[in-house]
């Protein structure tokens, strides 16, 4: 049973870089079947896709965030990470990591529990 | 840019059929999936590739997709189905979510 767990600071100052890590357990991240996604959800609002990475290192990003986002993978640790630079209040949200199946389907069949990140000075 | 539109809310009585729509330009040409999210919980995949149910999802959940709309249907809606539902599709190297529909069962 694959499980995902997000980790990282719960509080980030404005203009700084938000960094989160997703640890995959119960299975290998080094699979050519899956894409590894980051998704966020501001309080009381809907889901927003941030981006994803394939095991080859190939990435896709939300155009609205592309200039600030970097997603990377560390197969030796079975982890993938999110960096979001120049954060503002608008980046306050619950951040989820999720496993996606299919190149054009990206069905997210496994999700982490989510981690709240607050941007505040 | 590609966008998916859902009604913000829907109310049904227990035992009735809930039909949640998701609209987008030529959505029928893309695969759509649906997620259920209950308060304080992570989303759960309930329909993928338009009309397939993951293991463990009740048969009362079904989906369809054609033209410019995809539909999530919950037959014999139960109180436990009260949740937010999101559609998702892929367009031009981007994942797009609908805005979500709050389903109330009363």
């Amino acid at each position: 049973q694959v499980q995902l767990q997000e980790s990282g600071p719960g509080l980030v100052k404005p203009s700084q870089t938000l960094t989160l890590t997703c640890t995959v357990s119960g299975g290998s991240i080094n699979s050519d079947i899956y894409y590894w996604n980051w998704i966020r959800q501001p309080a009381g609002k809907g889901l927003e896709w941030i981006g994803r990475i394939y095991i080859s290192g190939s990435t896709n990003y939300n155009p609205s965030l592309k200039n600030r986002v970097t997603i990377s993978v560390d197969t030796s640790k079975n982890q993938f990470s999110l960096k979001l630079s120049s954060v503002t209040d608008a980046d306050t949200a619950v951040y989820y990591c999720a496993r996606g199946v299919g190149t054009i389907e990206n069905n997210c069949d496994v999700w982490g529990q989510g981690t709240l990140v607050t941007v505040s000075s | 840019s590609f966008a998916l539109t859902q009604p913000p809310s829907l109310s049904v009585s227990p035992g009735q059929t809930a039909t949640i729509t998701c609209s987008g330009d030529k959505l029928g040409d893309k695969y759509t999936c649906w997620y259920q999210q209950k308060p304080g919980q992570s989303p759960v995949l309930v329909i993928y590739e338009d009309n397939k149910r993951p293991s463990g999802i009740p048969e009362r959940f079904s989906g369809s997709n054609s033209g410019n709309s995809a539909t999530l249907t919950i037959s014999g809606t139960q109180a436990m189905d009260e949740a937010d539902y999101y559609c998702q599709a892929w367009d031009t190297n981007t994942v797009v979510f609908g805005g979500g529909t709050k389903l109330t069962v009363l």
Side-chain angles (χ1 to χ4, degrees):
Chain A
Q1 183 87 359
V2 173
Q3 294 183 317
L4 279 59
Q5 177 68 58
E6 305 89 351
S7 60
L11 181 64
V12 181
K13 288 180 168 38
S15 81
Q16 293 191 339
T17 296
L18 177 163
T19 301
L20 295 174
T21 297
C22 182
T23 300
V24 180
S25 60
S28 175
I29 199 172
N30 201 8
S31 167
D32 59 2
I33 299 175
Y34 304 119
Y35 289 81
W36 305 97
N37 293 260
W38 286 100
I39 295 154
R40 69 181 183 180
Q41 184 174 36
K45 296 188 177 181
L47 301 171
E48 180 181 31
W49 182 72
I50 300 170
R52 70 178 191 179
I53 190 165
Y54 188 60
I55 197 58
S56 65
S58 173
T59 53
N60 300 110
Y61 296 134
N62 185 325
S64 68
L65 299 170
K66 185 175 184 177
N67 292 338
R68 299 195 291 131
V69 173
T70 301
I71 297 176
S72 59
V73 63
D74 186 337
T75 55
S76 67
K77 295 182 179 179
N78 231 31
Q79 296 176 334
F80 62 106
S81 298
L82 167 70
K83 290 185 183 296
L84 181 64
S85 64
S86 305
V87 297
T88 69
D89 292 352
D91 296 309
T92 294
V94 174
Y95 285 74
Y96 296 100
C97 57
R99 186 180 78 174
V101 182
T103 302
I104 62 171
E105 302 87 346
N106 199 72
N107 308 304
C108 291
D109 63 344
V110 181
W111 293 65
Q113 65 183 29
T115 187
L116 174 62
V117 178
T118 302
V119 178
S120 175
S121 55
Chain B
S1 61
F2 184 74
L4 295 175
T5 301
Q6 298 180 236
S9 62
L10 177 68
S11 294
V12 297
S13 299
Q16 286 191 330
T17 296
T19 302
I20 301 173
T21 59
C22 174
S23 300
D25 185 44
K26 298 179 181 178
L27 184 57
D29 293 341
K30 311 176 195 302
Y31 280 119
T32 299
C33 64
W34 292 88
Y35 302 95
Q36 175 194 69
Q37 186 181 33
K38 296 182 179 179
Q41 298 183 16
S42 302
V44 173
L45 181 69
V46 295
I47 292 290
Y48 68 99
E49 292 179 17
D50 296 339
N51 53 23
K52 298 177 181 176
R53 276 182 294 105
S55 174
I57 300 302
E59 291 185 8
R60 64 179 180 274
F61 288 87
S62 63
S64 63
N65 186 16
S66 66
N68 294 318
S69 291
T71 300
L72 173 68
T73 302
I74 309 173
S75 303
T77 306
Q78 299 183 8
M80 67 173 65
D81 300 329
E82 186 164 286
D84 294 328
Y85 291 86
Y86 296 90
C87 59
Q88 178 216 289
W90 171 263
D91 179 79
T92 316
N93 298 324
T94 301
V95 170
V96 179
F97 285 103
T101 297
K102 182 176 182 61
L103 177 66
T104 301
V105 183
L106 42 66

